[in-house]
Amino acid sequence: MTPANGVTRHCRVCNAEIAPFMSFGRMPIANGFLKPEEAATEYFFELAPAFCDSCGMFQLMEQPRPEKMFHEQYAFYSSTSRYMQAHFEAFAHAVINNAIAGRDDPFVVELGSNDGIMLRHFRQCGLRHLGVEPSANVAEVARSQSINTVSAFFDRKLADDIVAEHGRADAILAANVMCHIPDLPGVGAGVQRLLKPDGVFIFEDPYLGDMIAKSSYDQIYDEHVFMFSATSVQRAFAPFELEVVDVMPQITHGGSMRYALAPVGSRPVLKNVGAQLAKEAALGLDRPETYLRFKANCESSRAALMQTLERLRAQGKRVVGYGATSKSTTVTNYCGITSGHVEFISDTTPIKQGRLSPGAHIPVRPYDEFVKKYPDYALLFAWNHAAEIREKETGFIAAGGRWIVYVPEVAIVA
Ligand code: DWN
Ligand code: ZN
């Protein structure tokens, strides 16, 4: 069978032979923000996506070992966005009021629970819950808020251990996590063991259809070993007797999809599932030419962004990056953006501040520095949070500042 991680020539889901349709070149760990003394020994791998003709799964040919990405220095804390806090509160209450409503002492497990942004609502309602979070630092934040959390990677063995200690789960949840796990069949088997026969497995991730439509290639980086569609999710979980019973598009992370899966035959399959599958076929998500067009769009986006940055540099304008996102690692390294183009990247996350951005080595500075002396232009790396950011940065615009955006197209906007 295909190796769970590392480099593969075979689909991580169905084992068919796969080949990359493009390469973004040498890439560092997207969340590997560096102390200056670490810059010389930085780790790189080749970021090359492939599409499996056989099962429709979009995936990376190579992914660094999980321990290189998720550890006690993991730089992404889910609770940094106010909008995302509201999003996960709504997600939790949708589960409480629908999926597990009326159940006797329900048990909810969240895979990749980060700092407890979603589980805190189950705790507040006095519901039995368990978070599984391999990155020890973010897991500790959750534990400090009395959210039950185990620091581990989820697999068959952990599923059995959880069942032995707590019993089977009424609901298993995951947000922006499933697309990170290379051994998807291992997770499928774990979910099958852990879930009650009438339980539900609900997860959401950035959606392949949105990425293709918006040419938001920056969703592709080491952590995102897969980019899902309803079609590929349905096929990936079928061997574990789980079927997609509902799909719910989300606006988060530039366009995501929430999938509800249940043991085959245990719940009605809602009509929108069939409609989504038909829509994906019509969008050509299963056709190789779609990915060749995507590649061409990535190349023109890169050319347009670099032309803009070079022009502003020639005019002596100050440009600062806004949000040291994981996505920005793909953009800076693929496009060749340096600290000559972008003076620094402003970010509110303390662990990223004072460090260098992966690969491009652009300094990451506290948000105060952005406000203290507004730049002429801000390159919006956190474009998925644009509504929240533009609402809060009216002072920047009033001072004459302008945003440089690159999704869905390169543009300068107020
Ligand atoms: O799947 C993943 C998603 C959920 O989160 C992970 N693989 C890692 C991470 O991806 P990302 O780093 O691209 O996520 P965000 O949410 O786009 O990151 C936003 C960054 O911008 C954070 O570092 C916080 C920062 N930020 C800021 O400085 N000011 C964010 C907001 C909203 C702000 O106002
Ligand atoms: Zn496949």
Side-chain angles (χ1 to χ4, degrees):
M1 192 59 192
T2 314
N5 50 33
V7 186
T8 185
R9 292 252 146 230
H10 293 94
C11 173
R12 296 165 194 274
V13 173
C14 77
N15 212 27
E17 239 179 80
I18 51 170
F21 63 84
M22 70 179 290
S23 174
F24 290 94
R26 255 164 50 94
M27 280 286 156
I29 300 290
N31 266 306
F33 293 89
L34 302 158
K35 295 179 185 151
E37 66 273 19
E38 293 167 340
T41 55
E42 194 170 11
Y43 174 87
F44 287 90
F45 71 104
E46 193 191 354
L47 185 67
F51 175 75
C52 175
D53 292 331
S54 173
C55 74
M57 188 60 81
F58 184 104
Q59 59 199 284
L60 298 186
M61 298 296 294
E62 178 176 358
Q63 190 195 35
R65 287 200 330 273
E67 300 75 17
K68 282 203 173 294
M69 300 179 287
F70 309 110
H71 42 61
E72 72 297 339
Q73 291 281 307
Y74 186 56
F76 181 71
Y77 289 75
S78 292
S79 297
T80 46
S81 153
R82 238 175 358 92
Y83 274 39
M84 291 310 291
Q85 288 183 29
H87 173 78
F88 286 117
E89 181 173 0
F91 189 164
H93 285 287
V95 173
I96 294 167
N97 297 328
N98 297 301
I100 60 169
R103 295 199 176 206
D104 184 26
D105 193 21
F107 176 46
V108 175
V109 176
E110 186 185 351
L111 311 181
S113 46
N114 200 279
D115 57 13
I117 188 167
M118 176 144 64
L119 277 187
R120 71 176 62 123
H121 302 285
F122 294 90
R123 186 191 62 74
Q124 279 160 11
C125 292
L127 293 165
R128 279 200 304 134
H129 64 273
L130 181 68
V132 178
E133 175 48 65
S135 300
N137 57 333
V138 288
E140 194 43 48
V141 173
R143 272 194 291 267
S144 72
Q145 296 166 22
S146 308
I147 298 162
N148 303 327
T149 308
V150 50
S151 291
F153 288 100
F154 182 77
D155 56 13
R156 294 174 183 80
K157 162 86 175 59
L158 187 69
D160 289 341
D161 292 348
I162 296 173
V163 173
E165 195 179 339
H166 303 272
R168 294 175 107 180
D170 294 85
I172 302 177
L173 311 176
N176 305 310
V177 168
M178 295 303 294
C179 72
H180 295 61
I181 307 176
D183 183 12
L184 199 62
V187 176
V191 168
Q192 191 180 23
R193 288 156 123 96
L194 178 57
L195 197 63
K196 282 184 180 167
D198 61 350
V200 61
F201 173 38
I202 308 175
F203 70 90
E204 66 184 38
D205 279 294
Y207 179 58
L208 178 67
D210 283 298
M211 185 186 81
I212 298 294
K214 296 174 190 169
S215 303
S216 47
Y217 64 86
D218 57 353
Q219 290 291 2
I220 303 174
Y221 53 88
D222 55 357
E223 295 180 18
H224 290 176
V225 66
F226 299 115
M227 195 57 68
F228 296 134
S229 62
T231 310
S232 63
V233 165
Q234 191 189 47
R235 290 179 186 158
F237 288 93
F240 308 100
E241 285 162 45
L242 292 163
E243 65 183 350
V244 178
V245 294
D246 196 5
V247 288
M248 294 151 273
Q250 307 291 316
I251 56 163
T252 49
H253 291 293
S256 297
M257 188 64 77
R258 184 178 296 169
Y259 310 89
L261 289 92
V264 173
S266 67
R267 287 174 187 241
V269 176
L270 300 186
K271 276 205 189 99
N272 55 352
V273 176
Q276 191 63 34
L277 297 174
K279 195 167 154 189
E280 291 179 356
L283 278 172
L285 289 190
D286 56 349
R287 284 202 297 273
E289 53 274 26
T290 301
Y291 299 95
L292 294 177
R293 209 167 42 240
F294 173 72
K295 174 179 187 270
N297 290 343
C298 293
E299 288 162 2
S300 5
S301 171
R302 170 172 66 179
L305 182 57
M306 289 318 287
Q307 215 172 39
T308 302
L309 292 176
E310 291 293 358
R311 178 170 52 81
L312 296 176
R313 175 152 77 167
Q315 292 168 357
K317 301 292 185 192
R318 271 188 79 224
V319 180
V320 160
Y322 197 105
T325 57
S326 320
K327 297 179 289 292
S328 68
T329 296
T330 298
V331 178
T332 52
N333 288 280
Y334 173 61
C335 297
I337 301 172
T338 67
S339 52
H341 302 103
V342 170
E343 191 178 307
F344 65 87
I345 306 176
S346 156
D347 199 285
T348 51
T349 317
I351 197 171
K352 296 181 184 177
Q353 297 162 357
R355 299 208 181 188
L356 298 174
S357 75
H361 300 175
I362 301 168
V364 180
R365 304 233 175 98
Y367 172 64
D368 287 358
E369 299 206 18
F370 173 77
V371 180
K372 210 161 53 193
K373 191 174 167 212
Y374 284 133
D376 300 305
Y377 294 87
L379 177 51
L380 189 55
F381 287 127
W383 58 269
N384 47 310
H385 299 293
E388 175 172 357
I389 291 170
R390 288 169 83 168
E391 193 179 290
K392 136 175 123 186
E393 298 302 351
T394 48
F396 168 56
I397 298 301
R402 291 294 175 263
W403 298 106
I404 305 169
V405 296
Y406 51 86
V407 175
E409 267 162 17
V410 175
I412 291 179
V413 294

